[in-house]
Amino acid sequence: MGLFTKVEDRPTPSNVYNWRVYLYSIVVGSAAVMIGYDSAFIGTTISLPSFKNEFSFGKLSTTEVNLLSANIVSCYQAGAFFGALFAYAAAYSLGRIRGLAVFSAIFVLGSGLMLAANGARGLGPIYAGRVLAGIGVGGCSNLAPIYISEIAPPAIRGRLVAMFEMGWQVGGLVGFWINYGININMPHNPNGWLIPFAVQLIPSGLLLVGCLLVKESPRWLMTKGKRDQAIKNLCFIRNLPEDDLYIKEELYAIDENIERQMAAGGLGFWQPFKLLASSRSIQWRFFLGGSLFFWQNTSGINAINYYSPTVFKSIGITGTNTSLFTTGLFGVVKTVFTMVYLIFLIDQYGRRKLLMIGAIGGGACLWYVGGYIAVANPAKHATAGGQLSSGGISAVFFFYLWTAFYSPTWNPTPWVLNSEMFDQNVRTLAQAFAAANNWFWNFLVARFTPQMFQTMGYGVYFFFASLMFLGAAFVYFLIPETKNIPLEAVDRLFDRKLKASQAHRIVWAELEQEEEALRAGLESGSVEKEAVMQVEQV
């Protein structure tokens, strides 16, 4: 099978893979640009001399600076945690697209508020603004992957949901490099630190405009009884007429899924909570989805994202410009390997293999970096001129190799899995839970990383490396492969009677048999008539 071969769940017209589905995924996925930028720029911004001078960091002790830095960074994650939860209500009442518009507007408000901070007013506007910005990105991190998964054809669903991660990396790349440019070109400008804060307004404003161009999810419209609009949107997104067999099959699957939801108690706001409380199977899947973000965040990625100057200093890299340049290069490596993931890996090699390879390879790299720091202690044995020793160069190489293992595996895949592993009746609540999990663990890492480096030293790397190895075991035993499986059939993969390593093969064989029978029924007209009668009864 070639790198660009599509594995289809059923015969699929080429029209389905049209520019509209890609454009909508890019527009909605751009929500992650503001998330990635906000995650990347803050760590290097608070290390800028202009920021330190404005807020008198030079008068504070190391412990006080670490505490202030942790508070500035982590209040954003605290807001994002609640934003992810609030997004459930927005998605239920407003839909995916209007919900995105609301949360992008909240982000714009928070970004503007941060610009009011200065030495006289103190850090209060930055704290408040970052909480609001966090609420905005929390909501967007819930809604964007759901929308993309709901409009994506199964054969390219992983690739399209990964547009969200690609947006994250593009934003992060800008966030990592912007302060390097400021420190090089505006080293003595006392207001230079305001520029990276102001740039936050650009991606959020563009998303707000983009929401006006995107059609609502047909699956959400169907749950709201807006069948005619749902069919119209689906036909537009698929670029097919309503009487096409592919459209009929997809509508049949959606109708069957809604019928199951109605039989289980209805489509009300509280129904997903009731299903979660009563179903061990759904509880198990919630646990798996939330746990993926635990393993993702305890890989060390956000310690590096938010405190990259601290991380590179521990390896022996000194000087503001050198540290910022090294951080920018880290962003380049992340972005390049995310593109590799998007184009070559996700829909060809699936989710399980990539997660296990990334965890094992990344863990080994961190063990090497931690071992070098333990033996060489570069922070206390700096070389002349601040140049890295040969051992330091090797540590930097393994750090970037860790980035190459992590970026195309654990960075995007938990988002892809959580967007597709739940049935329609609990998908929005499940994504809210998963996104909240991401921001909760993100908050803990952001809040305590400075203290961890101060007290644990090289042990931080051993800590994250050990957790990466444990994450590989978690995936092997508990996470089934989901690639190419239609959303309405994903439930079967999580049957506890099936081993995670065998579930995809078994379910795929069942789907092939059922597809043959369904297609024959639709062509004869018997299944279509039966489906219409069932929907009318519902």
Side-chain angles (χ1 to χ4, degrees):
M1 184 174 67
L3 281 175
F4 295 100
T5 302
K6 298 183 182 73
V7 181
E8 297 172 340
D9 64 308
R10 61 190 185 277
T12 304
S14 59
N15 288 22
V16 169
Y17 308 113
N18 63 79
W19 63 269
R20 294 166 182 167
V21 73
Y22 281 97
L23 176 63
Y24 283 9
S25 298
I26 290 171
V27 170
V28 172
S30 70
V33 174
M34 63 188 193
I35 304 175
Y37 178 81
D38 239 51
S39 300
F41 93 94
I42 191 64
T44 50
T45 298
I46 60 180
S47 70
L48 286 176
S50 59
F51 186 89
K52 292 179 178 178
N53 292 336
E54 181 71 31
F55 296 101
S56 304
F57 275 27
K59 299 178 181 179
L60 305 176
S61 66
T62 301
T63 301
E64 289 172 327
V65 169
N66 285 342
L67 180 61
L68 275 179
S69 300
N71 289 339
I72 292 170
V73 172
S74 61
C75 62
Y76 166 81
Q77 285 80 19
F81 173 82
F82 290 103
L85 297 178
F86 296 156
Y88 170 71
Y92 179 85
S93 304
L94 303 175
R96 300 359 180 174
I97 298 305
R98 283 189 294 175
L100 275 171
V102 168
F103 283 108
S104 61
I106 293 173
F107 185 95
V108 169
L109 179 62
S111 300
L113 183 57
M114 289 182 227
L115 297 176
N118 58 32
R121 296 190 187 98
L123 292 167
I126 290 180
Y127 289 137
R130 280 186 63 77
V131 170
L132 286 175
I135 291 173
V137 301
C140 290
S141 68
N142 179 335
L143 297 175
I146 292 178
Y147 177 82
I148 298 172
S149 72
E150 289 182 348
I151 69 166
I156 58 170
R157 188 174 61 234
R159 184 180 303 169
L160 293 183
V161 175
M163 296 286 188
F164 178 77
E165 182 59 37
M166 191 68 239
W168 198 309
Q169 297 313 314
V170 169
L173 188 64
V174 176
F176 283 130
W177 279 104
I178 190 168
N179 287 313
Y180 176 75
I182 289 171
N183 211 50
I184 289 291
N185 297 298
M186 306 171 62
H188 304 298
N189 189 324
N191 296 318
W193 64 274
L194 282 169
I195 295 174
F197 279 99
V199 169
Q200 295 177 99
L201 293 165
I202 298 174
S204 52
L206 291 175
L207 175 63
L208 195 57
V209 174
C211 287
L212 301 175
L213 308 175
V214 176
K215 292 187 180 294
E216 184 55 80
S217 163
R219 283 175 165 82
W220 180 81
L221 290 169
M222 291 283 275
T223 64
K224 295 300 179 182
K226 301 178 181 180
R227 184 177 181 82
D228 291 341
Q229 186 62 48
I231 294 174
K232 183 179 178 181
N233 286 10
L234 182 64
C235 291
F236 180 83
I237 293 169
R238 296 287 181 259
N239 197 26
L240 291 171
E242 184 177 343
D243 59 357
D244 189 273
L245 185 58
Y246 186 90
I247 294 291
K248 290 181 179 180
E249 287 180 314
E250 189 158 4
L251 288 172
Y252 176 80
I254 296 172
D255 286 335
E256 286 282 287
N257 193 42
I258 291 176
E259 183 187 351
R260 287 197 302 270
Q261 293 180 60
M262 296 297 292
L267 303 172
F269 181 88
W270 296 107
Q271 187 58 28
F273 294 92
K274 295 176 183 177
L275 290 172
L276 176 61
S278 61
S279 172
R280 289 289 183 88
S281 173
I282 294 175
Q283 292 168 9
W284 174 246
R285 232 177 302 173
F286 268 64
F287 164 74
L288 294 179
S291 296
L292 284 170
F293 283 110
F294 167 79
W295 298 113
Q296 182 201 62
N297 280 280
T298 53
S299 66
I301 181 61
N302 286 310
I304 299 164
N305 276 343
Y306 298 126
Y307 301 103
S308 47
T310 301
V311 172
F312 287 116
K313 183 179 179 181
S314 72
I315 300 176
I317 295 173
T318 58
T320 302
N321 286 342
T322 305
S323 178
L324 292 174
F325 178 85
T326 312
T327 299
L329 190 57
F330 164 68
V332 171
V333 174
K334 283 181 66 183
T335 304
V336 168
F337 278 92
T338 300
M339 291 181 67
V340 170
Y341 170 89
L342 179 70
I343 299 172
F344 299 110
L345 300 179
I346 183 61
D347 285 318
Q348 284 73 27
Y349 295 101
R351 292 53 159 157
R352 271 173 56 87
K353 288 181 182 177
L354 293 176
L355 287 175
M356 288 187 286
I357 291 170
I360 295 170
C365 292
L366 289 184
W367 273 107
Y368 181 89
V369 174
Y372 162 75
I373 295 173
V375 172
N377 197 0
K380 291 187 178 180
H381 300 92
T383 57
Q387 298 296 314
L388 285 173
S389 65
S390 57
I393 293 173
S394 71
V396 172
F397 169 79
F398 273 93
F399 173 81
Y400 286 127
L401 184 60
W402 171 84
T403 308
F405 273 114
Y406 174 86
S407 296
T409 57
W410 279 94
N411 220 26
T413 307
W415 293 103
V416 174
L417 277 166
N418 272 281
S419 73
E420 65 187 4
M421 64 191 281
F422 296 97
D423 205 356
Q424 179 75 26
N425 54 353
V426 294
R427 186 176 300 134
T428 307
L429 179 62
Q431 187 66 21
F433 176 79
N437 259 277
N438 170 67
W439 294 112
F440 173 74
W441 299 114
N442 203 309
F443 167 80
L444 291 182
V445 172
R447 179 62 184 79
F448 295 109
T449 289
Q451 291 84 354
M452 288 175 68
F453 271 102
Q454 191 173 6
T455 58
M456 296 173 63
Y458 62 83
V460 173
Y461 295 95
F462 293 157
F463 173 74
F464 288 135
S466 300
L467 288 171
M468 290 195 80
F469 285 146
L470 291 175
F474 174 88
V475 171
Y476 178 80
F477 289 108
L478 300 179
I479 302 295
E481 182 56 66
T482 58
K483 71 169 183 174
N484 308 128
I485 301 295
L487 291 178
E488 285 73 25
V490 167
D491 274 354
R492 306 187 200 180
L493 294 172
F494 293 89
D495 187 335
R496 297 292 293 278
K497 297 176 184 177
L498 300 178
K499 290 184 178 180
S501 58
Q502 300 172 354
H504 186 273
R505 175 176 53 81
I506 294 171
V507 172
W508 186 260
E510 292 175 353
L511 289 174
E512 286 183 324
Q513 294 176 358
E514 293 169 9
E515 165 59 24
E516 293 179 6
L518 174 60
R519 184 162 282 259
L522 287 170
E523 288 175 342
S524 67
S526 60
V527 173
E528 185 176 7
K529 292 176 183 177
E530 179 186 347
V532 171
M533 290 179 64
Q534 289 172 340
V535 172
E536 289 176 348
Q537 290 170 0
V538 170

